[in-house]
Amino acid sequence: MHEFAVTSERKTQLIDITERVRSAVAGASGAAVLVYVPHTTAAITINEKIDPVLVEDLEAFFEKVVGDDWGWRHDDKDGPNGASHGRASVAGAHVLVPLRDGELALGTYQALFLCEFDGPKPRKVYVSVLQ
């Protein structure tokens, strides 16, 4: 397993981690790669990397679909973050990407994103090549 760190700058932020994952699997032989985040208020997703406005739209989407104003009862040591847990549950903690000739088999416009929902914070990403 390969591990790397990412530090977010905002409460809700999508961070392109594609090149970090690509480096982690360079030369690997296997069928697929599992990209996983071991946090309950962060997630991993695949989406378009070409238009930065879309990334901003997705950040707003998560805040609107799972609102802060829902009367969440959960309170963390850093303050109420129930919505952050909800957003992470909607997005999911992992993605599975096929490998083709040792490379990520992503579409032309696709990228891997760490989704931060409770930042700014340091985060870990685990990358495992599956046989």
Side-chain angles (χ1 to χ4, degrees), residues 14-18 35 37 42-48 58 62 90-95 97 106 110-115 117:
L14 271 67
I15 302 167
D16 185 348
I17 59 169
T18 310
V35 183
V37 60
I44 300 289
T45 195
I46 298 174
N47 215 298
E48 181 181 309
L58 289 170
F62 281 111
V90 168
H94 69 278
V95 296
V97 181
L106 291 171
Q110 288 183 319
L112 293 156
F113 292 91
L114 173 109
C115 304
F117 299 121

mmCIF file with all atom_site columns, all heavy atoms in Angstrom, residues 14-18 35 37 42-48 58 62 90-95 97 106 110-115 117:
data_model
loop_
_atom_site.group_PDB
_atom_site.id
_atom_site.type_symbol
_atom_site.label_atom_id
_atom_site.label_alt_id
_atom_site.label_comp_id
_atom_site.label_asym_id
_atom_site.label_entity_id
_atom_site.label_seq_id
_atom_site.pdbx_PDB_ins_code
_atom_site.Cartn_x
_atom_site.Cartn_y
_atom_site.Cartn_z
_atom_site.occupancy
_atom_site.B_iso_or_equiv
_atom_site.pdbx_formal_charge
_atom_site.auth_seq_id
_atom_site.auth_comp_id
_atom_site.auth_asym_id
_atom_site.auth_atom_id
_atom_site.pdbx_PDB_model_num
ATOM 1   N N   . LEU A 1 14  ? -12.663 20.262 -3.402  1.00 0.00 ? 14  LEU A N   1
ATOM 2   C CA  . LEU A 1 14  ? -12.262 19.101 -4.199  1.00 0.00 ? 14  LEU A CA  1
ATOM 3   C C   . LEU A 1 14  ? -10.839 19.335 -4.668  1.00 0.00 ? 14  LEU A C   1
ATOM 4   O O   . LEU A 1 14  ? -10.542 20.357 -5.293  1.00 0.00 ? 14  LEU A O   1
ATOM 5   C CB  . LEU A 1 14  ? -13.199 18.897 -5.386  1.00 0.00 ? 14  LEU A CB  1
ATOM 6   C CG  . LEU A 1 14  ? -14.417 18.003 -5.109  1.00 0.00 ? 14  LEU A CG  1
ATOM 7   C CD1 . LEU A 1 14  ? -15.366 18.652 -4.134  1.00 0.00 ? 14  LEU A CD1 1
ATOM 8   C CD2 . LEU A 1 14  ? -15.111 17.636 -6.399  1.00 0.00 ? 14  LEU A CD2 1
ATOM 9   N N   . ILE A 1 15  ? -9.954  18.392 -4.355  1.00 0.00 ? 15  ILE A N   1
ATOM 10  C CA  . ILE A 1 15  ? -8.529  18.520 -4.658  1.00 0.00 ? 15  ILE A CA  1
ATOM 11  C C   . ILE A 1 15  ? -8.132  17.415 -5.628  1.00 0.00 ? 15  ILE A C   1
ATOM 12  O O   . ILE A 1 15  ? -8.303  16.236 -5.331  1.00 0.00 ? 15  ILE A O   1
ATOM 13  C CB  . ILE A 1 15  ? -7.690  18.421 -3.364  1.00 0.00 ? 15  ILE A CB  1
ATOM 14  C CG1 . ILE A 1 15  ? -8.123  19.502 -2.371  1.00 0.00 ? 15  ILE A CG1 1
ATOM 15  C CG2 . ILE A 1 15  ? -6.199  18.498 -3.686  1.00 0.00 ? 15  ILE A CG2 1
ATOM 16  C CD1 . ILE A 1 15  ? -7.586  19.303 -0.961  1.00 0.00 ? 15  ILE A CD1 1
ATOM 17  N N   . ASP A 1 16  ? -7.596  17.801 -6.781  1.00 0.00 ? 16  ASP A N   1
ATOM 18  C CA  . ASP A 1 16  ? -7.165  16.841 -7.796  1.00 0.00 ? 16  ASP A CA  1
ATOM 19  C C   . ASP A 1 16  ? -5.938  16.082 -7.282  1.00 0.00 ? 16  ASP A C   1
ATOM 20  O O   . ASP A 1 16  ? -4.895  16.669 -7.017  1.00 0.00 ? 16  ASP A O   1
ATOM 21  C CB  . ASP A 1 16  ? -6.843  17.580 -9.095  1.00 0.00 ? 16  ASP A CB  1
ATOM 22  C CG  . ASP A 1 16  ? -6.499  16.659 -10.254 1.00 0.00 ? 16  ASP A CG  1
ATOM 23  O OD1 . ASP A 1 16  ? -6.286  15.457 -10.046 1.00 0.00 ? 16  ASP A OD1 1
ATOM 24  O OD2 . ASP A 1 16  ? -6.430  17.177 -11.386 1.00 0.00 ? 16  ASP A OD2 1
ATOM 25  N N   . ILE A 1 17  ? -6.085  14.767 -7.134  1.00 0.00 ? 17  ILE A N   1
ATOM 26  C CA  . ILE A 1 17  ? -4.984  13.927 -6.649  1.00 0.00 ? 17  ILE A CA  1
ATOM 27  C C   . ILE A 1 17  ? -4.526  12.937 -7.723  1.00 0.00 ? 17  ILE A C   1
ATOM 28  O O   . ILE A 1 17  ? -3.773  12.001 -7.430  1.00 0.00 ? 17  ILE A O   1
ATOM 29  C CB  . ILE A 1 17  ? -5.376  13.174 -5.353  1.00 0.00 ? 17  ILE A CB  1
ATOM 30  C CG1 . ILE A 1 17  ? -6.602  12.285 -5.584  1.00 0.00 ? 17  ILE A CG1 1
ATOM 31  C CG2 . ILE A 1 17  ? -5.595  14.157 -4.208  1.00 0.00 ? 17  ILE A CG2 1
ATOM 32  C CD1 . ILE A 1 17  ? -6.879  11.312 -4.449  1.00 0.00 ? 17  ILE A CD1 1
ATOM 33  N N   . THR A 1 18  ? -4.947  13.148 -8.952  1.00 0.00 ? 18  THR A N   1
ATOM 34  C CA  . THR A 1 18  ? -4.674  12.192 -10.030 1.00 0.00 ? 18  THR A CA  1
ATOM 35  C C   . THR A 1 18  ? -3.192  11.907 -10.194 1.00 0.00 ? 18  THR A C   1
ATOM 36  O O   . THR A 1 18  ? -2.784  10.732 -10.272 1.00 0.00 ? 18  THR A O   1
ATOM 37  C CB  . THR A 1 18  ? -5.258  12.704 -11.361 1.00 0.00 ? 18  THR A CB  1
ATOM 38  O OG1 . THR A 1 18  ? -6.623  13.078 -11.153 1.00 0.00 ? 18  THR A OG1 1
ATOM 39  C CG2 . THR A 1 18  ? -5.159  11.651 -12.445 1.00 0.00 ? 18  THR A CG2 1
ATOM 40  N N   . VAL A 1 35  ? -8.373  3.476  -4.403  1.00 0.00 ? 35  VAL A N   1
ATOM 41  C CA  . VAL A 1 35  ? -7.986  4.753  -3.809  1.00 0.00 ? 35  VAL A CA  1
ATOM 42  C C   . VAL A 1 35  ? -8.983  5.002  -2.676  1.00 0.00 ? 35  VAL A C   1
ATOM 43  O O   . VAL A 1 35  ? -10.198 5.057  -2.902  1.00 0.00 ? 35  VAL A O   1
ATOM 44  C CB  . VAL A 1 35  ? -8.026  5.896  -4.843  1.00 0.00 ? 35  VAL A CB  1
ATOM 45  C CG1 . VAL A 1 35  ? -7.544  7.196  -4.214  1.00 0.00 ? 35  VAL A CG1 1
ATOM 46  C CG2 . VAL A 1 35  ? -7.190  5.539  -6.072  1.00 0.00 ? 35  VAL A CG2 1
ATOM 47  N N   . VAL A 1 37  ? -9.796  6.926  1.317   1.00 0.00 ? 37  VAL A N   1
ATOM 48  C CA  . VAL A 1 37  ? -9.488  7.944  2.311   1.00 0.00 ? 37  VAL A CA  1
ATOM 49  C C   . VAL A 1 37  ? -10.014 7.463  3.671   1.00 0.00 ? 37  VAL A C   1
ATOM 50  O O   . VAL A 1 37  ? -11.195 7.137  3.799   1.00 0.00 ? 37  VAL A O   1
ATOM 51  C CB  . VAL A 1 37  ? -10.069 9.329  1.912   1.00 0.00 ? 37  VAL A CB  1
ATOM 52  C CG1 . VAL A 1 37  ? -11.558 9.314  1.757   1.00 0.00 ? 37  VAL A CG1 1
ATOM 53  C CG2 . VAL A 1 37  ? -9.642  10.406 2.866   1.00 0.00 ? 37  VAL A CG2 1
ATOM 54  N N   . ALA A 1 42  ? -14.368 13.079 4.780   1.00 0.00 ? 42  ALA A N   1
ATOM 55  C CA  . ALA A 1 42  ? -13.725 13.289 3.482   1.00 0.00 ? 42  ALA A CA  1
ATOM 56  C C   . ALA A 1 42  ? -14.130 12.123 2.586   1.00 0.00 ? 42  ALA A C   1
ATOM 57  O O   . ALA A 1 42  ? -14.641 11.111 3.067   1.00 0.00 ? 42  ALA A O   1
ATOM 58  C CB  . ALA A 1 42  ? -12.207 13.363 3.625   1.00 0.00 ? 42  ALA A CB  1
ATOM 59  N N   . ALA A 1 43  ? -13.914 12.275 1.291   1.00 0.00 ? 43  ALA A N   1
ATOM 60  C CA  . ALA A 1 43  ? -14.327 11.242 0.342   1.00 0.00 ? 43  ALA A CA  1
ATOM 61  C C   . ALA A 1 43  ? -13.396 11.265 -0.866  1.00 0.00 ? 43  ALA A C   1
ATOM 62  O O   . ALA A 1 43  ? -12.514 12.132 -0.982  1.00 0.00 ? 43  ALA A O   1
ATOM 63  C CB  . ALA A 1 43  ? -15.769 11.477 -0.094  1.00 0.00 ? 43  ALA A CB  1
ATOM 64  N N   . ILE A 1 44  ? -13.615 10.300 -1.759  1.00 0.00 ? 44  ILE A N   1
ATOM 65  C CA  . ILE A 1 44  ? -12.890 10.224 -3.022  1.00 0.00 ? 44  ILE A CA  1
ATOM 66  C C   . ILE A 1 44  ? -13.923 10.135 -4.138  1.00 0.00 ? 44  ILE A C   1
ATOM 67  O O   . ILE A 1 44  ? -14.910 9.393  -4.015  1.00 0.00 ? 44  ILE A O   1
ATOM 68  C CB  . ILE A 1 44  ? -11.976 8.978  -3.080  1.00 0.00 ? 44  ILE A CB  1
ATOM 69  C CG1 . ILE A 1 44  ? -10.940 8.990  -1.951  1.00 0.00 ? 44  ILE A CG1 1
ATOM 70  C CG2 . ILE A 1 44  ? -11.313 8.851  -4.445  1.00 0.00 ? 44  ILE A CG2 1
ATOM 71  C CD1 . ILE A 1 44  ? -9.839  10.025 -2.105  1.00 0.00 ? 44  ILE A CD1 1
ATOM 72  N N   . THR A 1 45  ? -13.704 10.861 -5.223  1.00 0.00 ? 45  THR A N   1
ATOM 73  C CA  . THR A 1 45  ? -14.606 10.767 -6.364  1.00 0.00 ? 45  THR A CA  1
ATOM 74  C C   . THR A 1 45  ? -13.829 10.920 -7.666  1.00 0.00 ? 45  THR A C   1
ATOM 75  O O   . THR A 1 45  ? -12.684 11.367 -7.662  1.00 0.00 ? 45  THR A O   1
ATOM 76  C CB  . THR A 1 45  ? -15.741 11.815 -6.282  1.00 0.00 ? 45  THR A CB  1
ATOM 77  O OG1 . THR A 1 45  ? -16.766 11.466 -7.209  1.00 0.00 ? 45  THR A OG1 1
ATOM 78  C CG2 . THR A 1 45  ? -15.235 13.223 -6.572  1.00 0.00 ? 45  THR A CG2 1
ATOM 79  N N   . ILE A 1 46  ? -14.466 10.528 -8.747  1.00 0.00 ? 46  ILE A N   1
ATOM 80  C CA  . ILE A 1 46  ? -13.937 10.733 -10.096 1.00 0.00 ? 46  ILE A CA  1
ATOM 81  C C   . ILE A 1 46  ? -14.882 11.692 -10.803 1.00 0.00 ? 46  ILE A C   1
ATOM 82  O O   . ILE A 1 46  ? -16.101 11.498 -10.778 1.00 0.00 ? 46  ILE A O   1
ATOM 83  C CB  . ILE A 1 46  ? -13.865 9.407  -10.890 1.00 0.00 ? 46  ILE A CB  1
ATOM 84  C CG1 . ILE A 1 46  ? -12.905 8.429  -10.209 1.00 0.00 ? 46  ILE A CG1 1
ATOM 85  C CG2 . ILE A 1 46  ? -13.455 9.668  -12.342 1.00 0.00 ? 46  ILE A CG2 1
ATOM 86  C CD1 . ILE A 1 46  ? -12.888 7.046  -10.838 1.00 0.00 ? 46  ILE A CD1 1
ATOM 87  N N   . ASN A 1 47  ? -14.310 12.724 -11.412 1.00 0.00 ? 47  ASN A N   1
ATOM 88  C CA  . ASN A 1 47  ? -15.128 13.646 -12.180 1.00 0.00 ? 47  ASN A CA  1
ATOM 89  C C   . ASN A 1 47  ? -14.254 14.385 -13.180 1.00 0.00 ? 47  ASN A C   1
ATOM 90  O O   . ASN A 1 47  ? -13.055 14.112 -13.286 1.00 0.00 ? 47  ASN A O   1
ATOM 91  C CB  . ASN A 1 47  ? -15.888 14.613 -11.265 1.00 0.00 ? 47  ASN A CB  1
ATOM 92  C CG  . ASN A 1 47  ? -17.256 14.936 -11.824 1.00 0.00 ? 47  ASN A CG  1
ATOM 93  O OD1 . ASN A 1 47  ? -17.370 15.505 -12.909 1.00 0.00 ? 47  ASN A OD1 1
ATOM 94  N ND2 . ASN A 1 47  ? -18.285 14.564 -11.091 1.00 0.00 ? 47  ASN A ND2 1
ATOM 95  N N   . GLU A 1 48  ? -14.845 15.348 -13.856 1.00 0.00 ? 48  GLU A N   1
ATOM 96  C CA  . GLU A 1 48  ? -14.146 16.092 -14.905 1.00 0.00 ? 48  GLU A CA  1
ATOM 97  C C   . GLU A 1 48  ? -13.095 17.021 -14.319 1.00 0.00 ? 48  GLU A C   1
ATOM 98  O O   . GLU A 1 48  ? -13.324 17.697 -13.323 1.00 0.00 ? 48  GLU A O   1
ATOM 99  C CB  . GLU A 1 48  ? -15.155 16.919 -15.710 1.00 0.00 ? 48  GLU A CB  1
ATOM 100 C CG  . GLU A 1 48  ? -14.524 17.698 -16.839 1.00 0.00 ? 48  GLU A CG  1
ATOM 101 C CD  . GLU A 1 48  ? -15.525 18.537 -17.607 1.00 0.00 ? 48  GLU A CD  1
ATOM 102 O OE1 . GLU A 1 48  ? -16.551 17.989 -18.030 1.00 0.00 ? 48  GLU A OE1 1
ATOM 103 O OE2 . GLU A 1 48  ? -15.264 19.744 -17.766 1.00 0.00 ? 48  GLU A OE2 1
ATOM 104 N N   . LEU A 1 58  ? -19.438 21.598 -8.083  1.00 0.00 ? 58  LEU A N   1
ATOM 105 C CA  . LEU A 1 58  ? -19.566 20.371 -7.294  1.00 0.00 ? 58  LEU A CA  1
ATOM 106 C C   . LEU A 1 58  ? -19.423 20.654 -5.804  1.00 0.00 ? 58  LEU A C   1
ATOM 107 O O   . LEU A 1 58  ? -20.129 20.071 -4.974  1.00 0.00 ? 58  LEU A O   1
ATOM 108 C CB  . LEU A 1 58  ? -18.547 19.330 -7.748  1.00 0.00 ? 58  LEU A CB  1
ATOM 109 C CG  . LEU A 1 58  ? -18.830 18.706 -9.115  1.00 0.00 ? 58  LEU A CG  1
ATOM 110 C CD1 . LEU A 1 58  ? -17.626 17.883 -9.577  1.00 0.00 ? 58  LEU A CD1 1
ATOM 111 C CD2 . LEU A 1 58  ? -20.078 17.855 -9.086  1.00 0.00 ? 58  LEU A CD2 1
ATOM 112 N N   . PHE A 1 62  ? -22.484 19.749 -3.085  1.00 0.00 ? 62  PHE A N   1
ATOM 113 C CA  . PHE A 1 62  ? -22.436 18.986 -1.844  1.00 0.00 ? 62  PHE A CA  1
ATOM 114 C C   . PHE A 1 62  ? -22.988 19.804 -0.678  1.00 0.00 ? 62  PHE A C   1
ATOM 115 O O   . PHE A 1 62  ? -23.693 19.263 0.183   1.00 0.00 ? 62  PHE A O   1
ATOM 116 C CB  . PHE A 1 62  ? -21.011 18.515 -1.540  1.00 0.00 ? 62  PHE A CB  1
ATOM 117 C CG  . PHE A 1 62  ? -20.601 17.311 -2.332  1.00 0.00 ? 62  PHE A CG  1
ATOM 118 C CD1 . PHE A 1 62  ? -19.639 17.414 -3.311  1.00 0.00 ? 62  PHE A CD1 1
ATOM 119 C CD2 . PHE A 1 62  ? -21.182 16.080 -2.096  1.00 0.00 ? 62  PHE A CD2 1
ATOM 120 C CE1 . PHE A 1 62  ? -19.248 16.298 -4.043  1.00 0.00 ? 62  PHE A CE1 1
ATOM 121 C CE2 . PHE A 1 62  ? -20.815 14.954 -2.823  1.00 0.00 ? 62  PHE A CE2 1
ATOM 122 C CZ  . PHE A 1 62  ? -19.845 15.066 -3.807  1.00 0.00 ? 62  PHE A CZ  1
ATOM 123 N N   . VAL A 1 90  ? -22.444 10.432 1.197   1.00 0.00 ? 90  VAL A N   1
ATOM 124 C CA  . VAL A 1 90  ? -23.015 10.527 -0.159  1.00 0.00 ? 90  VAL A CA  1
ATOM 125 C C   . VAL A 1 90  ? -21.943 10.250 -1.208  1.00 0.00 ? 90  VAL A C   1
ATOM 126 O O   . VAL A 1 90  ? -22.173 9.511  -2.174  1.00 0.00 ? 90  VAL A O   1
ATOM 127 C CB  . VAL A 1 90  ? -23.652 11.916 -0.389  1.00 0.00 ? 90  VAL A CB  1
ATOM 128 C CG1 . VAL A 1 90  ? -23.972 12.142 -1.849  1.00 0.00 ? 90  VAL A CG1 1
ATOM 129 C CG2 . VAL A 1 90  ? -24.908 12.066 0.455   1.00 0.00 ? 90  VAL A CG2 1
ATOM 130 N N   . ALA A 1 91  ? -20.758 10.806 -1.021  1.00 0.00 ? 91  ALA A N   1
ATOM 131 C CA  . ALA A 1 91  ? -19.689 10.666 -2.024  1.00 0.00 ? 91  ALA A CA  1
ATOM 132 C C   . ALA A 1 91  ? -18.974 9.317  -1.931  1.00 0.00 ? 91  ALA A C   1
ATOM 133 O O   . ALA A 1 91  ? -18.632 8.729  -2.954  1.00 0.00 ? 91  ALA A O   1
ATOM 134 C CB  . ALA A 1 91  ? -18.686 11.805 -1.889  1.00 0.00 ? 91  ALA A CB  1
ATOM 135 N N   . GLY A 1 92  ? -18.704 8.838  -0.748  1.00 0.00 ? 92  GLY A N   1
ATOM 136 C CA  . GLY A 1 92  ? -18.027 7.550  -0.578  1.00 0.00 ? 92  GLY A CA  1
ATOM 137 C C   . GLY A 1 92  ? -16.550 7.676  -0.294  1.00 0.00 ? 92  GLY A C   1
ATOM 138 O O   . GLY A 1 92  ? -15.881 8.595  -0.757  1.00 0.00 ? 92  GLY A O   1
ATOM 139 N N   . ALA A 1 93  ? -16.030 6.719  0.449   1.00 0.00 ? 93  ALA A N   1
ATOM 140 C CA  . ALA A 1 93  ? -14.644 6.759  0.919   1.00 0.00 ? 93  ALA A CA  1
ATOM 141 C C   . ALA A 1 93  ? -13.634 6.187  -0.060  1.00 0.00 ? 93  ALA A C   1
ATOM 142 O O   . ALA A 1 93  ? -12.437 6.259  0.185   1.00 0.00 ? 93  ALA A O   1
ATOM 143 C CB  . ALA A 1 93  ? -14.540 6.006  2.249   1.00 0.00 ? 93  ALA A CB  1
ATOM 144 N N   . HIS A 1 94  ? -14.103 5.589  -1.167  1.00 0.00 ? 94  HIS A N   1
ATOM 145 C CA  . HIS A 1 94  ? -13.138 4.979  -2.083  1.00 0.00 ? 94  HIS A CA  1
ATOM 146 C C   . HIS A 1 94  ? -13.669 4.934  -3.521  1.00 0.00 ? 94  HIS A C   1
ATOM 147 O O   . HIS A 1 94  ? -14.874 5.059  -3.747  1.00 0.00 ? 94  HIS A O   1
ATOM 148 C CB  . HIS A 1 94  ? -12.802 3.553  -1.640  1.00 0.00 ? 94  HIS A CB  1
ATOM 149 C CG  . HIS A 1 94  ? -13.948 2.596  -1.797  1.00 0.00 ? 94  HIS A CG  1
ATOM 150 N ND1 . HIS A 1 94  ? -14.941 2.493  -0.874  1.00 0.00 ? 94  HIS A ND1 1
ATOM 151 C CD2 . HIS A 1 94  ? -14.255 1.733  -2.788  1.00 0.00 ? 94  HIS A CD2 1
ATOM 152 C CE1 . HIS A 1 94  ? -15.813 1.588  -1.281  1.00 0.00 ? 94  HIS A CE1 1
ATOM 153 N NE2 . HIS A 1 94  ? -15.426 1.113  -2.452  1.00 0.00 ? 94  HIS A NE2 1
ATOM 154 N N   . VAL A 1 95  ? -12.745 4.758  -4.443  1.00 0.00 ? 95  VAL A N   1
ATOM 155 C CA  . VAL A 1 95  ? -13.062 4.450  -5.835  1.00 0.00 ? 95  VAL A CA  1
ATOM 156 C C   . VAL A 1 95  ? -12.123 3.341  -6.289  1.00 0.00 ? 95  VAL A C   1
ATOM 157 O O   . VAL A 1 95  ? -11.035 3.159  -5.741  1.00 0.00 ? 95  VAL A O   1
ATOM 158 C CB  . VAL A 1 95  ? -12.941 5.666  -6.793  1.00 0.00 ? 95  VAL A CB  1
ATOM 159 C CG1 . VAL A 1 95  ? -13.947 6.747  -6.440  1.00 0.00 ? 95  VAL A CG1 1
ATOM 160 C CG2 . VAL A 1 95  ? -11.533 6.215  -6.813  1.00 0.00 ? 95  VAL A CG2 1
ATOM 161 N N   . VAL A 1 97  ? -10.277 1.972  -9.757  1.00 0.00 ? 97  VAL A N   1
ATOM 162 C CA  . VAL A 1 97  ? -9.934  2.363  -11.123 1.00 0.00 ? 97  VAL A CA  1
ATOM 163 C C   . VAL A 1 97  ? -9.186  1.209  -11.786 1.00 0.00 ? 97  VAL A C   1
ATOM 164 O O   . VAL A 1 97  ? -8.179  0.736  -11.250 1.00 0.00 ? 97  VAL A O   1
ATOM 165 C CB  . VAL A 1 97  ? -9.046  3.632  -11.140 1.00 0.00 ? 97  VAL A CB  1
ATOM 166 C CG1 . VAL A 1 97  ? -8.713  4.040  -12.569 1.00 0.00 ? 97  VAL A CG1 1
ATOM 167 C CG2 . VAL A 1 97  ? -9.716  4.773  -10.394 1.00 0.00 ? 97  VAL A CG2 1
ATOM 168 N N   . LEU A 1 106 ? -8.322  5.912  -16.863 1.00 0.00 ? 106 LEU A N   1
ATOM 169 C CA  . LEU A 1 106 ? -9.308  6.985  -16.723 1.00 0.00 ? 106 LEU A CA  1
ATOM 170 C C   . LEU A 1 106 ? -9.699  7.497  -18.104 1.00 0.00 ? 106 LEU A C   1
ATOM 171 O O   . LEU A 1 106 ? -8.906  7.423  -19.052 1.00 0.00 ? 106 LEU A O   1
ATOM 172 C CB  . LEU A 1 106 ? -8.731  8.144  -15.906 1.00 0.00 ? 106 LEU A CB  1
ATOM 173 C CG  . LEU A 1 106 ? -8.478  7.877  -14.425 1.00 0.00 ? 106 LEU A CG  1
ATOM 174 C CD1 . LEU A 1 106 ? -7.696  9.027  -13.804 1.00 0.00 ? 106 LEU A CD1 1
ATOM 175 C CD2 . LEU A 1 106 ? -9.787  7.653  -13.688 1.00 0.00 ? 106 LEU A CD2 1
ATOM 176 N N   . GLN A 1 110 ? -11.377 12.672 -17.185 1.00 0.00 ? 110 GLN A N   1
ATOM 177 C CA  . GLN A 1 110 ? -11.544 12.275 -15.787 1.00 0.00 ? 110 GLN A CA  1
ATOM 178 C C   . GLN A 1 110 ? -10.316 12.541 -14.936 1.00 0.00 ? 110 GLN A C   1
ATOM 179 O O   . GLN A 1 110 ? -9.186  12.458 -15.419 1.00 0.00 ? 110 GLN A O   1
ATOM 180 C CB  . GLN A 1 110 ? -11.883 10.791 -15.699 1.00 0.00 ? 110 GLN A CB  1
ATOM 181 C CG  . GLN A 1 110 ? -13.275 10.456 -16.167 1.00 0.00 ? 110 GLN A CG  1
ATOM 182 C CD  . GLN A 1 110 ? -13.572 8.991  -15.999 1.00 0.00 ? 110 GLN A CD  1
ATOM 183 O OE1 . GLN A 1 110 ? -12.735 8.133  -16.257 1.00 0.00 ? 110 GLN A OE1 1
ATOM 184 N NE2 . GLN A 1 110 ? -14.790 8.690  -15.556 1.00 0.00 ? 110 GLN A NE2 1
ATOM 185 N N   . ALA A 1 111 ? -10.586 12.820 -13.661 1.00 0.00 ? 111 ALA A N   1
ATOM 186 C CA  . ALA A 1 111 ? -9.540  12.980 -12.659 1.00 0.00 ? 111 ALA A CA  1
ATOM 187 C C   . ALA A 1 111 ? -10.048 12.411 -11.337 1.00 0.00 ? 111 ALA A C   1
ATOM 188 O O   . ALA A 1 111 ? -11.255 12.268 -11.126 1.00 0.00 ? 111 ALA A O   1
ATOM 189 C CB  . ALA A 1 111 ? -9.162  14.448 -12.486 1.00 0.00 ? 111 ALA A CB  1
ATOM 190 N N   . LEU A 1 112 ? -9.120  12.097 -10.466 1.00 0.00 ? 112 LEU A N   1
ATOM 191 C CA  . LEU A 1 112 ? -9.443  11.651 -9.114  1.00 0.00 ? 112 LEU A CA  1
ATOM 192 C C   . LEU A 1 112 ? -9.379  12.842 -8.168  1.00 0.00 ? 112 LEU A C   1
ATOM 193 O O   . LEU A 1 112 ? -8.412  13.620 -8.207  1.00 0.00 ? 112 LEU A O   1
ATOM 194 C CB  . LEU A 1 112 ? -8.436  10.592 -8.664  1.00 0.00 ? 112 LEU A CB  1
ATOM 195 C CG  . LEU A 1 112 ? -8.494  9.281  -9.418  1.00 0.00 ? 112 LEU A CG  1
ATOM 196 C CD1 . LEU A 1 112 ? -7.162  8.557  -9.327  1.00 0.00 ? 112 LEU A CD1 1
ATOM 197 C CD2 . LEU A 1 112 ? -9.606  8.433  -8.843  1.00 0.00 ? 112 LEU A CD2 1
ATOM 198 N N   . PHE A 1 113 ? -10.388 12.971 -7.335  1.00 0.00 ? 113 PHE A N   1
ATOM 199 C CA  . PHE A 1 113 ? -10.446 14.092 -6.395  1.00 0.00 ? 113 PHE A CA  1
ATOM 200 C C   . PHE A 1 113 ? -10.621 13.606 -4.969  1.00 0.00 ? 113 PHE A C   1
ATOM 201 O O   . PHE A 1 113 ? -11.448 12.726 -4.700  1.00 0.00 ? 113 PHE A O   1
ATOM 202 C CB  . PHE A 1 113 ? -11.632 15.009 -6.722  1.00 0.00 ? 113 PHE A CB  1
ATOM 203 C CG  . PHE A 1 113 ? -11.510 15.751 -8.007  1.00 0.00 ? 113 PHE A CG  1
ATOM 204 C CD1 . PHE A 1 113 ? -12.011 15.216 -9.180  1.00 0.00 ? 113 PHE A CD1 1
ATOM 205 C CD2 . PHE A 1 113 ? -10.893 16.995 -8.056  1.00 0.00 ? 113 PHE A CD2 1
ATOM 206 C CE1 . PHE A 1 113 ? -11.899 15.892 -10.382 1.00 0.00 ? 113 PHE A CE1 1
ATOM 207 C CE2 . PHE A 1 113 ? -10.778 17.677 -9.247  1.00 0.00 ? 113 PHE A CE2 1
ATOM 208 C CZ  . PHE A 1 113 ? -11.279 17.125 -10.417 1.00 0.00 ? 113 PHE A CZ  1
ATOM 209 N N   . LEU A 1 114 ? -9.849  14.198 -4.064  1.00 0.00 ? 114 LEU A N   1
ATOM 210 C CA  . LEU A 1 114 ? -10.136 14.086 -2.640  1.00 0.00 ? 114 LEU A CA  1
ATOM 211 C C   . LEU A 1 114 ? -11.204 15.141 -2.366  1.00 0.00 ? 114 LEU A C   1
ATOM 212 O O   . LEU A 1 114 ? -11.036 16.309 -2.753  1.00 0.00 ? 114 LEU A O   1
ATOM 213 C CB  . LEU A 1 114 ? -8.897  14.367 -1.788  1.00 0.00 ? 114 LEU A CB  1
ATOM 214 C CG  . LEU A 1 114 ? -9.233  14.429 -0.297  1.00 0.00 ? 114 LEU A CG  1
ATOM 215 C CD1 . LEU A 1 114 ? -8.673  13.229 0.415   1.00 0.00 ? 114 LEU A CD1 1
ATOM 216 C CD2 . LEU A 1 114 ? -8.759  15.689 0.321   1.00 0.00 ? 114 LEU A CD2 1
ATOM 217 N N   . CYS A 1 115 ? -12.283 14.744 -1.742  1.00 0.00 ? 115 CYS A N   1
ATOM 218 C CA  . CYS A 1 115 ? -13.364 15.666 -1.392  1.00 0.00 ? 115 CYS A CA  1
ATOM 219 C C   . CYS A 1 115 ? -13.251 15.993 0.090   1.00 0.00 ? 115 CYS A C   1
ATOM 220 O O   . CYS A 1 115 ? -13.450 15.118 0.934   1.00 0.00 ? 115 CYS A O   1
ATOM 221 C CB  . CYS A 1 115 ? -14.720 15.030 -1.661  1.00 0.00 ? 115 CYS A CB  1
ATOM 222 S SG  . CYS A 1 115 ? -14.974 14.445 -3.329  1.00 0.00 ? 115 CYS A SG  1
ATOM 223 N N   . PHE A 1 117 ? -14.724 17.863 3.303   1.00 0.00 ? 117 PHE A N   1
ATOM 224 C CA  . PHE A 1 117 ? -15.999 18.406 3.767   1.00 0.00 ? 117 PHE A CA  1
ATOM 225 C C   . PHE A 1 117 ? -15.917 18.996 5.170   1.00 0.00 ? 117 PHE A C   1
ATOM 226 O O   . PHE A 1 117 ? -16.928 19.455 5.692   1.00 0.00 ? 117 PHE A O   1
ATOM 227 C CB  . PHE A 1 117 ? -17.077 17.314 3.736   1.00 0.00 ? 117 PHE A CB  1
ATOM 228 C CG  . PHE A 1 117 ? -17.321 16.762 2.361   1.00 0.00 ? 117 PHE A CG  1
ATOM 229 C CD1 . PHE A 1 117 ? -17.138 15.417 2.099   1.00 0.00 ? 117 PHE A CD1 1
ATOM 230 C CD2 . PHE A 1 117 ? -17.718 17.587 1.327   1.00 0.00 ? 117 PHE A CD2 1
ATOM 231 C CE1 . PHE A 1 117 ? -17.366 14.903 0.833   1.00 0.00 ? 117 PHE A CE1 1
ATOM 232 C CE2 . PHE A 1 117 ? -17.945 17.090 0.050   1.00 0.00 ? 117 PHE A CE2 1
ATOM 233 C CZ  . PHE A 1 117 ? -17.777 15.742 -0.195  1.00 0.00 ? 117 PHE A CZ  1
#
